[in-house]
Amino acid sequence: MRHVPLFESKNLRLTPVDLEKDMQSIASWTNDLEIAAKMREDQPARPMAVFEIKKLYERWQKEAEEGNRQFLFAIHLREVENQESVIGVLRITQIEWVHGVAFLDLIISEEKYWEAYAREALDLALHYAFEEISLFRVTAVVAEHNRLANDLFEQSRFTLEVRQRQAIYWNRRAWDKLYFGLLRPEWKMQQLAEVEA
């Protein structure tokens, strides 16, 4: 099997989240209601200040270190060597090592970056999840109204496994919460098909 760089692809690189350099950019993303909702988790969506984002990431990093149940990455454009190069964040979270399962959360700052790089970022995430930390399955939870994310997971051969009816309130109406899953054998078959193509 050919060697694949673990933290780099054609256009992207994964790095640790820098609590000094990345926070300003990430805080500015929360002016987008969709991103604010993801960052605030189960709280009402709203723009977040830099100190709030820093506090959130400090909590996530502490949980990662103490519980060994999540990994956090910043997603950067490879060609840009400054703070502005951060275009997204990736979390592999709620890892259950005994079962080899986890949830994957991908946040990308702007629609133009999502359209250009979401698949590439997802490929990096899956390579890390299945090859480096030997997970057996990953799950992505997506709101029904988020067409870009739905399309990404469908095109990446995830299976829609659960549709939780009207579990998300968004823009004055209730939407379904969708659970997409991918197994390591399915991912490996995709990799083999791409090599043979």
Side-chain angles (χ1 to χ4, degrees):
M1 185 179 231
R2 64 187 172 86
H3 170 71
V4 179
L6 189 57
F7 301 113
E8 291 189 351
S9 58
K10 180 181 177 183
N11 299 298
L12 304 176
R13 61 188 155 79
L14 300 180
T15 69
V17 174
D18 188 315
L19 291 177
E20 301 307 320
K21 294 180 181 176
D22 295 336
M23 297 297 102
Q24 182 72 45
S25 293
I26 295 171
S28 72
W29 305 346
T30 63
N31 290 316
D32 179 309
L33 189 57
E34 186 82 38
I35 293 175
K38 286 190 96 137
M39 292 289 192
R40 300 269 302 155
E41 297 174 322
D42 293 329
Q43 310 247 339
R46 64 168 172 75
M48 297 175 72
V50 173
F51 80 89
E52 292 176 294
I53 291 291
K54 187 172 182 180
K55 190 173 179 182
L56 174 66
Y57 274 85
E58 285 172 342
R59 177 170 58 84
W60 284 351
Q61 286 186 334
K62 184 177 180 184
E63 289 170 2
E65 291 166 9
E66 292 178 356
N68 193 30
R69 294 189 59 219
Q70 77 174 335
F71 293 90
L72 303 170
F73 297 98
I75 304 167
H76 290 265
L77 294 173
R78 284 184 62 185
E79 300 303 316
V80 182
E81 292 297 329
N82 61 37
Q83 178 179 347
E84 297 306 313
S85 74
V86 63
I87 64 160
V89 290
L90 164 68
R91 290 174 68 208
I92 300 173
T93 186
Q94 299 180 48
I95 299 171
E96 296 181 19
W97 294 110
V98 170
H99 305 294
V101 301
F103 284 81
L104 185 147
D105 191 19
L106 181 63
I107 298 173
I108 295 185
S109 62
E110 297 179 43
E111 188 171 325
K112 68 178 181 179
Y113 290 136
W114 183 278
E115 291 173 353
Y117 303 118
R119 179 63 188 264
E120 195 171 336
L122 180 60
D123 288 345
L124 279 170
L126 294 174
H127 183 74
Y128 185 80
F130 290 133
E131 291 292 333
E132 181 62 19
I133 60 174
S134 300
L135 295 179
F136 185 75
R137 70 169 288 133
V138 294
T139 301
V141 182
V142 179
E144 178 187 20
H145 63 82
N146 188 340
R147 281 305 328 149
L148 289 174
N150 289 330
D151 291 346
L152 172 68
F153 292 112
E154 287 171 359
Q155 292 164 8
S156 301
R157 304 288 192 262
F158 278 65
T159 299
L160 176 57
E161 297 175 329
V162 175
R163 176 181 290 271
Q164 193 174 19
R165 296 176 303 141
Q166 300 187 359
I168 295 174
Y169 186 76
W170 177 262
N171 200 17
R172 296 177 297 181
R173 67 165 274 201
W175 301 82
D176 295 350
K177 184 185 285 190
L178 309 177
Y179 290 74
F180 289 92
L182 183 69
L183 306 180
R184 182 168 52 197
E186 296 167 340
W187 177 79
K188 284 193 172 282
M189 290 295 289
Q190 290 177 33
Q191 300 304 297
L192 188 58
E194 288 173 11
V195 167
E196 291 174 349

